[in-house]
Amino acid sequence: MLQFLGNIQAKADIKGRIFIPAVFRKRLQSEGEEFLVLRKDIFQDCLVLYPGTVWEKEIETLRGRLNKWNREQQQVFRQFVLDAERLEMDTNGRVLIPKRYLQMASIESEVRFLGVDDTIEIWANEKLEKPLVAPDEFSAKLQELME
């Protein structure tokens, strides 16, 4: 089972190439992942890298919940896949992030990779300088969730 954990700073070059952190790259390679799928997160201002097998499961799950004869649901499905891009790692472990994605997440150069379960998020570094959730609110929400 693929699982990523880490909070790693990196830089995008002028062309939008970013080295996938070694700890994540090794995990992907050990699981035989051949490609990644990139899309902007649905809720947060960040990018999400899905290993190929994880993406395929996501699509299967989404497709299984949608009625293929419902116009609105088909539009949601189309939008989900329209906003996705297949990426290949080069021999140096870099991926090329298309400029439109960098703009969607306000990424210029400094980035932060976050391992979040079976995906890898890419954030503009400055967006993670402060907590995403205030400490008191975080502990209250976590307690509520775990009770």
Short mmCIF file of all heavy atoms in Angstrom, two decimals, residues 91-145:
data_model
loop_
_atom_site.label_atom_id
_atom_site.label_comp_id
_atom_site.label_asym_id
_atom_site.label_seq_id
_atom_site.Cartn_x
_atom_site.Cartn_y
_atom_site.Cartn_z
N THR A 91 14.93 10.90 -15.95
CA THR A 91 15.93 10.01 -15.33
C THR A 91 16.56 10.61 -14.09
O THR A 91 17.12 9.89 -13.26
CB THR A 91 17.03 9.64 -16.34
OG1 THR A 91 17.59 10.85 -16.86
CG2 THR A 91 16.49 8.80 -17.47
N ASN A 92 16.46 11.93 -13.93
CA ASN A 92 17.00 12.59 -12.73
C ASN A 92 15.98 12.70 -11.60
O ASN A 92 16.27 13.23 -10.54
CB ASN A 92 17.50 14.00 -13.07
CG ASN A 92 18.66 13.96 -14.03
OD1 ASN A 92 19.57 13.15 -13.87
ND2 ASN A 92 18.64 14.81 -15.04
N GLY A 93 14.74 12.22 -11.84
CA GLY A 93 13.71 12.29 -10.81
C GLY A 93 12.95 13.61 -10.79
O GLY A 93 12.35 13.97 -9.79
N ARG A 94 12.98 14.31 -11.93
CA ARG A 94 12.25 15.58 -12.02
C ARG A 94 10.96 15.40 -12.79
O ARG A 94 10.86 14.53 -13.66
CB ARG A 94 13.08 16.65 -12.74
CG ARG A 94 14.31 17.07 -12.03
CD ARG A 94 15.07 18.08 -12.84
NE ARG A 94 15.36 17.55 -14.18
CZ ARG A 94 16.13 18.13 -15.07
NH1 ARG A 94 16.69 19.29 -14.80
NH2 ARG A 94 16.34 17.59 -16.25
N VAL A 95 10.00 16.27 -12.48
CA VAL A 95 8.78 16.36 -13.27
C VAL A 95 8.66 17.80 -13.75
O VAL A 95 9.14 18.72 -13.09
CB VAL A 95 7.51 15.96 -12.50
CG1 VAL A 95 7.48 14.47 -12.22
CG2 VAL A 95 7.35 16.75 -11.22
N LEU A 96 8.03 17.96 -14.89
CA LEU A 96 7.78 19.29 -15.43
C LEU A 96 6.33 19.65 -15.11
O LEU A 96 5.41 19.01 -15.59
CB LEU A 96 8.01 19.31 -16.94
CG LEU A 96 7.69 20.63 -17.64
CD1 LEU A 96 8.60 21.76 -17.15
CD2 LEU A 96 7.82 20.46 -19.15
N ILE A 97 6.17 20.67 -14.27
CA ILE A 97 4.83 21.13 -13.90
C ILE A 97 4.42 22.21 -14.92
O ILE A 97 5.08 23.25 -15.00
CB ILE A 97 4.81 21.74 -12.48
CG1 ILE A 97 5.45 20.81 -11.45
CG2 ILE A 97 3.38 22.14 -12.09
CD1 ILE A 97 4.66 19.64 -11.01
N PRO A 98 3.38 21.98 -15.68
CA PRO A 98 2.94 23.00 -16.65
C PRO A 98 2.64 24.33 -15.94
O PRO A 98 2.13 24.35 -14.81
CB PRO A 98 1.68 22.39 -17.26
CG PRO A 98 1.87 20.91 -17.10
CD PRO A 98 2.56 20.76 -15.78
N LYS A 99 2.94 25.41 -16.63
CA LYS A 99 2.80 26.75 -16.04
C LYS A 99 1.40 27.03 -15.50
O LYS A 99 1.25 27.68 -14.48
CB LYS A 99 3.18 27.82 -17.06
CG LYS A 99 4.67 27.83 -17.35
CD LYS A 99 5.17 29.23 -17.62
CE LYS A 99 6.64 29.27 -17.97
NZ LYS A 99 7.54 28.73 -17.01
N ARG A 100 0.38 26.54 -16.19
CA ARG A 100 -0.98 26.83 -15.72
C ARG A 100 -1.23 26.25 -14.32
O ARG A 100 -1.95 26.83 -13.53
CB ARG A 100 -2.04 26.38 -16.72
CG ARG A 100 -2.22 24.89 -16.85
CD ARG A 100 -3.23 24.58 -17.99
NE ARG A 100 -3.44 23.17 -18.12
CZ ARG A 100 -4.55 22.55 -17.74
NH1 ARG A 100 -5.55 23.23 -17.22
NH2 ARG A 100 -4.67 21.25 -17.90
N TYR A 101 -0.60 25.12 -14.02
CA TYR A 101 -0.76 24.52 -12.69
C TYR A 101 0.00 25.34 -11.65
O TYR A 101 -0.48 25.54 -10.54
CB TYR A 101 -0.29 23.07 -12.67
CG TYR A 101 -1.23 22.17 -13.43
CD1 TYR A 101 -1.01 21.87 -14.75
CD2 TYR A 101 -2.35 21.63 -12.80
CE1 TYR A 101 -1.88 21.05 -15.46
CE2 TYR A 101 -3.22 20.80 -13.50
CZ TYR A 101 -2.99 20.53 -14.82
OH TYR A 101 -3.85 19.72 -15.52
N LEU A 102 1.20 25.78 -12.00
CA LEU A 102 1.97 26.62 -11.09
C LEU A 102 1.16 27.89 -10.75
O LEU A 102 1.11 28.31 -9.60
CB LEU A 102 3.32 26.98 -11.70
CG LEU A 102 4.27 25.81 -11.95
CD1 LEU A 102 5.49 26.28 -12.73
CD2 LEU A 102 4.68 25.13 -10.66
N GLN A 103 0.51 28.44 -11.76
CA GLN A 103 -0.30 29.64 -11.54
C GLN A 103 -1.52 29.34 -10.68
O GLN A 103 -1.87 30.12 -9.80
CB GLN A 103 -0.73 30.25 -12.88
CG GLN A 103 0.44 30.85 -13.64
CD GLN A 103 0.11 31.16 -15.09
OE1 GLN A 103 -0.92 30.78 -15.62
NE2 GLN A 103 1.03 31.87 -15.75
N MET A 104 -2.15 28.20 -10.89
CA MET A 104 -3.33 27.82 -10.09
C MET A 104 -3.02 27.78 -8.60
O MET A 104 -3.86 28.11 -7.78
CB MET A 104 -3.84 26.43 -10.50
CG MET A 104 -4.59 26.34 -11.78
SD MET A 104 -5.10 24.60 -12.00
CE MET A 104 -5.20 24.51 -13.77
N ALA A 105 -1.81 27.34 -8.27
CA ALA A 105 -1.42 27.19 -6.87
C ALA A 105 -0.51 28.32 -6.39
O ALA A 105 0.06 28.24 -5.31
CB ALA A 105 -0.74 25.84 -6.66
N SER A 106 -0.38 29.38 -7.20
CA SER A 106 0.47 30.54 -6.86
C SER A 106 1.90 30.14 -6.54
O SER A 106 2.52 30.68 -5.62
CB SER A 106 -0.14 31.32 -5.70
OG SER A 106 -1.46 31.69 -5.97
N ILE A 107 2.43 29.16 -7.27
CA ILE A 107 3.79 28.70 -7.05
C ILE A 107 4.74 29.45 -7.97
O ILE A 107 4.50 29.52 -9.18
CB ILE A 107 3.90 27.18 -7.30
CG1 ILE A 107 3.12 26.42 -6.22
CG2 ILE A 107 5.36 26.74 -7.32
CD1 ILE A 107 2.99 24.94 -6.49
N GLU A 108 5.78 30.03 -7.38
CA GLU A 108 6.78 30.71 -8.18
C GLU A 108 8.07 29.89 -8.21
O GLU A 108 8.46 29.41 -9.23
CB GLU A 108 7.00 32.12 -7.65
CG GLU A 108 5.79 32.99 -7.95
CD GLU A 108 5.89 34.39 -7.40
OE1 GLU A 108 7.02 34.85 -7.12
OE2 GLU A 108 4.84 35.01 -7.24
N SER A 109 8.69 29.71 -7.07
CA SER A 109 9.94 28.96 -7.05
C SER A 109 10.03 28.04 -5.83
O SER A 109 10.23 26.85 -5.96
CB SER A 109 11.09 29.96 -7.12
OG SER A 109 12.21 29.50 -6.47
N GLU A 110 9.87 28.60 -4.65
CA GLU A 110 9.98 27.81 -3.41
C GLU A 110 8.71 26.99 -3.20
O GLU A 110 7.61 27.54 -3.17
CB GLU A 110 10.17 28.74 -2.21
CG GLU A 110 11.40 29.61 -2.28
CD GLU A 110 12.69 28.85 -2.04
OE1 GLU A 110 12.68 27.91 -1.24
OE2 GLU A 110 13.70 29.20 -2.67
N VAL A 111 8.88 25.68 -3.07
CA VAL A 111 7.73 24.80 -2.86
C VAL A 111 7.94 23.92 -1.64
O VAL A 111 9.06 23.77 -1.14
CB VAL A 111 7.43 23.90 -4.09
CG1 VAL A 111 7.10 24.73 -5.30
CG2 VAL A 111 8.56 22.95 -4.37
N ARG A 112 6.86 23.33 -1.21
CA ARG A 112 6.90 22.37 -0.13
C ARG A 112 6.12 21.14 -0.59
O ARG A 112 5.00 21.26 -1.05
CB ARG A 112 6.25 22.99 1.10
CG ARG A 112 6.42 22.22 2.38
CD ARG A 112 7.58 22.70 3.26
NE ARG A 112 7.52 24.07 3.65
CZ ARG A 112 7.01 24.51 4.80
NH1 ARG A 112 6.49 23.67 5.64
NH2 ARG A 112 7.04 25.79 5.08
N PHE A 113 6.76 19.98 -0.50
CA PHE A 113 6.11 18.70 -0.79
C PHE A 113 5.59 18.14 0.52
O PHE A 113 6.35 18.04 1.50
CB PHE A 113 7.13 17.70 -1.36
CG PHE A 113 7.45 17.91 -2.80
CD1 PHE A 113 8.50 18.76 -3.18
CD2 PHE A 113 6.75 17.25 -3.79
CE1 PHE A 113 8.82 18.95 -4.51
CE2 PHE A 113 7.08 17.43 -5.14
CZ PHE A 113 8.10 18.28 -5.49
N LEU A 114 4.32 17.76 0.54
CA LEU A 114 3.74 17.12 1.72
C LEU A 114 3.25 15.73 1.33
O LEU A 114 2.50 15.59 0.36
CB LEU A 114 2.52 17.90 2.24
CG LEU A 114 2.74 19.23 2.89
CD1 LEU A 114 1.41 19.78 3.40
CD2 LEU A 114 3.72 19.13 4.03
N GLY A 115 3.69 14.73 2.09
CA GLY A 115 3.15 13.40 1.91
C GLY A 115 1.83 13.34 2.65
O GLY A 115 1.79 13.57 3.85
N VAL A 116 0.75 13.09 1.92
CA VAL A 116 -0.58 13.06 2.52
C VAL A 116 -1.25 11.75 2.11
O VAL A 116 -1.84 11.64 1.04
CB VAL A 116 -1.44 14.27 2.07
CG1 VAL A 116 -2.81 14.23 2.74
CG2 VAL A 116 -0.73 15.58 2.39
N ASP A 117 -1.06 10.75 2.96
CA ASP A 117 -1.61 9.43 2.74
C ASP A 117 -1.05 8.84 1.44
O ASP A 117 0.14 8.63 1.33
CB ASP A 117 -3.14 9.47 2.75
CG ASP A 117 -3.77 8.08 2.88
OD1 ASP A 117 -3.09 7.16 3.37
OD2 ASP A 117 -4.93 7.91 2.48
N ASP A 118 -1.89 8.63 0.41
CA ASP A 118 -1.39 7.99 -0.82
C ASP A 118 -1.16 8.99 -1.95
O ASP A 118 -1.04 8.62 -3.11
CB ASP A 118 -2.34 6.87 -1.27
CG ASP A 118 -3.76 7.35 -1.53
OD1 ASP A 118 -4.05 8.56 -1.34
OD2 ASP A 118 -4.61 6.51 -1.91
N THR A 119 -1.10 10.30 -1.59
CA THR A 119 -0.80 11.33 -2.58
C THR A 119 0.31 12.24 -2.06
O THR A 119 0.66 12.20 -0.88
CB THR A 119 -2.04 12.20 -2.91
OG1 THR A 119 -2.46 12.86 -1.72
CG2 THR A 119 -3.17 11.38 -3.49
N ILE A 120 0.84 13.05 -2.97
CA ILE A 120 1.87 14.02 -2.62
C ILE A 120 1.34 15.40 -3.01
O ILE A 120 0.96 15.61 -4.16
CB ILE A 120 3.18 13.74 -3.39
CG1 ILE A 120 3.69 12.33 -3.09
CG2 ILE A 120 4.23 14.80 -3.06
CD1 ILE A 120 4.76 11.83 -4.06
N GLU A 121 1.29 16.30 -2.04
CA GLU A 121 0.83 17.65 -2.33
C GLU A 121 2.03 18.56 -2.57
O GLU A 121 3.09 18.39 -1.95
CB GLU A 121 -0.01 18.20 -1.18
CG GLU A 121 -1.31 17.46 -1.01
CD GLU A 121 -2.18 17.98 0.11
OE1 GLU A 121 -1.72 18.86 0.90
OE2 GLU A 121 -3.32 17.51 0.21
N ILE A 122 1.85 19.54 -3.45
CA ILE A 122 2.88 20.54 -3.72
C ILE A 122 2.26 21.90 -3.41
O ILE A 122 1.25 22.29 -4.01
CB ILE A 122 3.36 20.51 -5.19
CG1 ILE A 122 3.82 19.10 -5.58
CG2 ILE A 122 4.48 21.52 -5.40
CD1 ILE A 122 4.11 18.95 -7.07
N TRP A 123 2.87 22.60 -2.46
CA TRP A 123 2.39 23.89 -2.00
C TRP A 123 3.40 24.98 -2.29
O TRP A 123 4.61 24.72 -2.29
CB TRP A 123 2.20 23.86 -0.49
CG TRP A 123 1.06 23.02 0.00
CD1 TRP A 123 1.02 21.65 0.09
CD2 TRP A 123 -0.20 23.49 0.47
NE1 TRP A 123 -0.18 21.25 0.59
CE2 TRP A 123 -0.95 22.36 0.84
CE3 TRP A 123 -0.75 24.76 0.63
CZ2 TRP A 123 -2.24 22.46 1.36
CZ3 TRP A 123 -2.03 24.86 1.14
CH2 TRP A 123 -2.77 23.72 1.49
N ALA A 124 2.92 26.20 -2.49
CA ALA A 124 3.80 27.37 -2.47
C ALA A 124 4.30 27.44 -1.03
O ALA A 124 3.50 27.39 -0.09
CB ALA A 124 3.04 28.62 -2.86
N ASN A 125 5.61 27.51 -0.84
CA ASN A 125 6.21 27.45 0.48
C ASN A 125 5.55 28.41 1.48
O ASN A 125 5.26 28.04 2.61
CB ASN A 125 7.71 27.72 0.38
CG ASN A 125 8.44 27.35 1.64
OD1 ASN A 125 8.24 26.26 2.17
ND2 ASN A 125 9.27 28.24 2.14
N GLU A 126 5.31 29.65 1.06
CA GLU A 126 4.78 30.66 1.98
C GLU A 126 3.38 30.32 2.50
O GLU A 126 2.99 30.77 3.57
CB GLU A 126 4.80 32.07 1.37
CG GLU A 126 3.99 32.25 0.12
CD GLU A 126 4.71 31.87 -1.18
OE1 GLU A 126 5.85 31.36 -1.15
OE2 GLU A 126 4.11 32.06 -2.25
N LYS A 127 2.65 29.48 1.78
CA LYS A 127 1.30 29.12 2.24
C LYS A 127 1.32 28.17 3.43
O LYS A 127 0.31 28.00 4.10
CB LYS A 127 0.50 28.50 1.10
CG LYS A 127 0.20 29.53 0.05
CD LYS A 127 -0.79 29.06 -0.95
CE LYS A 127 -1.01 30.21 -1.90
NZ LYS A 127 -1.78 29.94 -3.01
N LEU A 128 2.47 27.56 3.68
CA LEU A 128 2.56 26.63 4.82
C LEU A 128 3.41 27.19 5.95
O LEU A 128 3.78 26.46 6.86
CB LEU A 128 3.11 25.28 4.36
CG LEU A 128 2.17 24.48 3.47
CD1 LEU A 128 2.79 23.15 3.10
CD2 LEU A 128 0.82 24.25 4.13
N GLU A 129 3.72 28.47 5.89
CA GLU A 129 4.51 29.06 6.97
C GLU A 129 3.68 29.21 8.24
O GLU A 129 4.21 29.21 9.33
CB GLU A 129 5.11 30.40 6.52
CG GLU A 129 6.24 30.19 5.52
CD GLU A 129 6.80 31.48 4.95
OE1 GLU A 129 6.23 32.56 5.19
OE2 GLU A 129 7.84 31.39 4.26
N LYS A 130 2.38 29.32 8.08
CA LYS A 130 1.46 29.37 9.22
C LYS A 130 0.65 28.08 9.20
O LYS A 130 0.41 27.51 8.13
CB LYS A 130 0.50 30.56 9.09
CG LYS A 130 1.19 31.89 9.21
CD LYS A 130 0.18 33.01 9.08
CE LYS A 130 0.90 34.35 9.12
NZ LYS A 130 0.06 35.43 8.63
N PRO A 131 0.16 27.64 10.37
CA PRO A 131 -0.66 26.41 10.38
C PRO A 131 -1.90 26.56 9.50
O PRO A 131 -2.47 27.65 9.39
CB PRO A 131 -1.06 26.26 11.86
CG PRO A 131 -0.11 27.11 12.62
CD PRO A 131 0.34 28.21 11.70
N LEU A 132 -2.33 25.47 8.90
CA LEU A 132 -3.55 25.47 8.09
C LEU A 132 -4.78 25.63 8.98
O LEU A 132 -5.79 26.17 8.57
CB LEU A 132 -3.66 24.17 7.29
CG LEU A 132 -2.57 23.95 6.23
CD1 LEU A 132 -2.66 22.55 5.66
CD2 LEU A 132 -2.68 24.99 5.12
N VAL A 133 -4.68 25.12 10.21
CA VAL A 133 -5.76 25.19 11.20
C VAL A 133 -5.12 25.67 12.50
O VAL A 133 -4.07 25.16 12.91
CB VAL A 133 -6.41 23.81 11.41
CG1 VAL A 133 -7.54 23.88 12.42
CG2 VAL A 133 -6.90 23.23 10.09
N ALA A 134 -5.76 26.62 13.15
CA ALA A 134 -5.25 27.12 14.43
C ALA A 134 -5.12 25.96 15.42
O ALA A 134 -5.97 25.06 15.43
CB ALA A 134 -6.19 28.18 14.99
N PRO A 135 -4.05 25.95 16.25
CA PRO A 135 -3.81 24.82 17.15
C PRO A 135 -5.00 24.43 18.02
O PRO A 135 -5.30 23.24 18.14
CB PRO A 135 -2.63 25.31 18.01
CG PRO A 135 -1.91 26.28 17.13
CD PRO A 135 -3.00 26.96 16.33
N ASP A 136 -5.70 25.38 18.62
CA ASP A 136 -6.85 25.04 19.46
C ASP A 136 -7.97 24.41 18.65
O ASP A 136 -8.59 23.45 19.07
CB ASP A 136 -7.38 26.30 20.19
CG ASP A 136 -6.41 26.78 21.25
OD1 ASP A 136 -5.49 26.03 21.62
OD2 ASP A 136 -6.59 27.93 21.72
N GLU A 137 -8.21 24.98 17.47
CA GLU A 137 -9.25 24.45 16.60
C GLU A 137 -8.87 23.05 16.11
O GLU A 137 -9.71 22.15 16.07
CB GLU A 137 -9.45 25.39 15.41
CG GLU A 137 -10.59 24.99 14.51
CD GLU A 137 -10.72 25.88 13.28
OE1 GLU A 137 -10.10 26.96 13.23
OE2 GLU A 137 -11.45 25.46 12.37
N PHE A 138 -7.59 22.86 15.80
CA PHE A 138 -7.11 21.55 15.34
C PHE A 138 -7.35 20.49 16.41
O PHE A 138 -7.91 19.44 16.13
CB PHE A 138 -5.62 21.62 14.99
CG PHE A 138 -5.03 20.28 14.66
CD1 PHE A 138 -5.32 19.66 13.46
CD2 PHE A 138 -4.20 19.63 15.56
CE1 PHE A 138 -4.79 18.42 13.15
CE2 PHE A 138 -3.65 18.40 15.26
CZ PHE A 138 -3.95 17.78 14.05
N SER A 139 -6.95 20.77 17.65
CA SER A 139 -7.11 19.76 18.71
C SER A 139 -8.59 19.47 18.96
O SER A 139 -8.98 18.32 19.17
CB SER A 139 -6.39 20.17 19.98
OG SER A 139 -6.86 21.41 20.45
N ALA A 140 -9.44 20.52 18.92
CA ALA A 140 -10.88 20.32 19.13
C ALA A 140 -11.48 19.46 18.01
O ALA A 140 -12.25 18.54 18.27
CB ALA A 140 -11.59 21.66 19.23
N LYS A 141 -11.12 19.78 16.76
CA LYS A 141 -11.67 19.03 15.62
C LYS A 141 -11.18 17.58 15.62
O LYS A 141 -11.93 16.66 15.31
CB LYS A 141 -11.26 19.69 14.29
CG LYS A 141 -11.83 21.06 14.08
CD LYS A 141 -13.23 20.97 13.55
CE LYS A 141 -13.74 22.37 13.22
NZ LYS A 141 -15.18 22.42 13.16
N LEU A 142 -9.91 17.38 15.97
CA LEU A 142 -9.36 16.03 16.02
C LEU A 142 -10.04 15.22 17.12
O LEU A 142 -10.42 14.06 16.91
CB LEU A 142 -7.85 16.06 16.22
CG LEU A 142 -7.12 14.75 16.06
CD1 LEU A 142 -7.34 14.15 14.68
CD2 LEU A 142 -5.62 14.94 16.30
N GLN A 143 -10.24 15.84 18.27
CA GLN A 143 -10.93 15.16 19.37
C GLN A 143 -12.35 14.78 18.95
O GLN A 143 -12.78 13.64 19.18
CB GLN A 143 -10.97 16.07 20.62
CG GLN A 143 -11.66 15.43 21.79
CD GLN A 143 -11.68 16.34 23.01
OE1 GLN A 143 -10.98 17.33 23.06
NE2 GLN A 143 -12.49 15.97 23.98
N GLU A 144 -13.04 15.71 18.31
CA GLU A 144 -14.40 15.46 17.84
C GLU A 144 -14.42 14.31 16.84
O GLU A 144 -15.29 13.43 16.91
CB GLU A 144 -14.92 16.74 17.19
CG GLU A 144 -16.32 16.72 16.69
CD GLU A 144 -16.68 18.02 15.98
OE1 GLU A 144 -16.44 19.10 16.56
OE2 GLU A 144 -17.18 17.94 14.84
N LEU A 145 -13.48 14.31 15.95
CA LEU A 145 -13.40 13.27 14.92
C LEU A 145 -13.13 11.89 15.53
O LEU A 145 -13.66 10.88 15.07
CB LEU A 145 -12.29 13.64 13.93
CG LEU A 145 -12.10 12.77 12.72
CD1 LEU A 145 -13.32 12.84 11.82
CD2 LEU A 145 -10.86 13.19 11.96
#
